[in-house]
Amino acid sequence: MRIAREPRWSLTVSEAIDLQKRMASCLSLRGGPRNARLVAGADVAYDPSVQRCFAAVVVLERPHLEVVEEVTADATVSFPYVPGLLSFREGPVIVEAFSKLKVRPQVVFFDAHGYAHPRRFGLACHIGYLLDIPSVGCAKSVLVGEPQRALPEKALSWVWLIDKGERVGAVLRTQTGRRPIYVSPGYRVGFLAAIRLVSEVLGKFRVPEPTRLADILVERHKRKYLQQRGVRERLTS
DNA sequence: GCGACAG
DNA sequence: ATCTTGTCGC
Ligand SMILES: [Mg+2]
């Protein structure tokens, strides 16, 4: 798959923050794909000992969520973890993985926030923009904001996530008796569309299928990569 | 200054 | 995110 926009990743922390402020103003919080057939999930894993990171993208076909393509990539960690700047840490290896895809997904789900971000430009917004593909943020914990009211226990119940008086996303209970996930618009997707899209790709787990399968694949890829590297060192030394 | 803080 | 085995609860 061809990457629509050329990213520049070599930025300082303050330059990255400036970029987010500039980019946030040119985002559309409306729309959303109609009856998307190809949906994708992406996730990243790390090996702290060698400053290496890994990414996986899994493409599924709706409505039955069958896997149609899987790709992985790996790279050297090039940016620290700074809350609010996750896309600059995980972006390079994620985009690298997407470039290896043959098919072009119609929507992408990320294991991170989108609009629910200090500067309203989380990883899901940033990567969706670079790929020029509608995207949704599906985080497992909160970065900014608070539920507008108490979240009911029943599965599929949701409430708005409010930050500084502004609606930034939704708190969605995907399973009864389990903690909720945090859904927010990424790129070219509205609030209700984001919630609907996530509900359409839920399986039997708390986390949506696309990101859950990407998580499993990236973990498997990381293990294989490190094993292979261990073998080479043994034969070289 | 203090506390919060995606992955 | 990662370090880590078994164990308790939905
Ligand atoms: Mg992740």
Side-chain angles (χ1 to χ4, degrees), chain A residues 43-44 90 111 140 215:
Chain A
D43 194 25
V44 172
E90 302 197 340
D111 177 29
K140 300 184 293 296
D215 178 278

Side-chain angles (χ1 to χ4, degrees), chain A residues 55-221:
Chain A
V57 176
V58 177
V59 182
L60 313 177
E61 186 170 352
R62 281 201 346 159
H64 301 300
L65 306 183
E66 304 134 324
V67 175
V68 300
E69 190 176 359
E70 300 181 318
V71 293
T72 59
D74 44 76
T76 296
V77 174
S78 60
F79 199 90
Y81 171 67
V82 180
L85 300 180
L86 184 65
S87 66
F88 297 91
R89 179 174 172 83
E90 302 197 340
V93 73
I94 290 176
V95 170
E96 162 77 15
F98 270 97
S99 73
K100 297 183 179 181
L101 280 180
K102 290 185 288 189
V103 301
R104 184 181 177 81
Q106 294 162 290
V107 201
V108 182
F109 298 87
F110 291 101
D111 177 29
H113 291 283
Y115 193 73
H117 176 276
R119 289 165 293 280
R120 310 296 185 248
F121 197 70
L123 183 148
C125 304
H126 196 163
I127 309 304
Y129 167 81
L130 293 175
L131 303 176
D132 194 29
I133 296 177
S135 62
V136 179
C138 304
K140 300 184 293 296
S141 64
V142 66
L143 175 60
V144 297
E146 54 190 57
Q148 186 169 51
R149 60 185 182 84
L151 178 65
E153 294 297 325
K154 184 175 164 52
L156 295 187
S157 58
W158 61 270
V159 301
W160 293 121
L161 179 67
I162 309 293
D163 180 45
K164 295 174 162 59
E166 180 186 13
R167 176 179 65 177
V168 295
V171 185
L172 172 65
R173 176 116 40 211
T174 57
Q175 303 266 283
T176 302
R178 303 215 61 188
R179 298 166 53 209
I181 63 172
Y182 300 82
V183 177
S184 60
Y187 181 66
R188 288 183 179 171
V189 170
F191 288 94
L192 289 173
I195 297 170
R196 164 170 293 203
L197 284 165
V198 169
S199 66
E200 288 174 346
V201 295
L202 290 177
K204 298 179 177 178
F205 304 88
R206 177 173 82 118
V207 174
E209 282 299 284
T211 50
R212 191 182 73 86
L213 295 179
D215 178 278
I216 292 172
L217 178 59
V218 77
E219 224 51 66
R220 184 188 309 153
H221 175 249

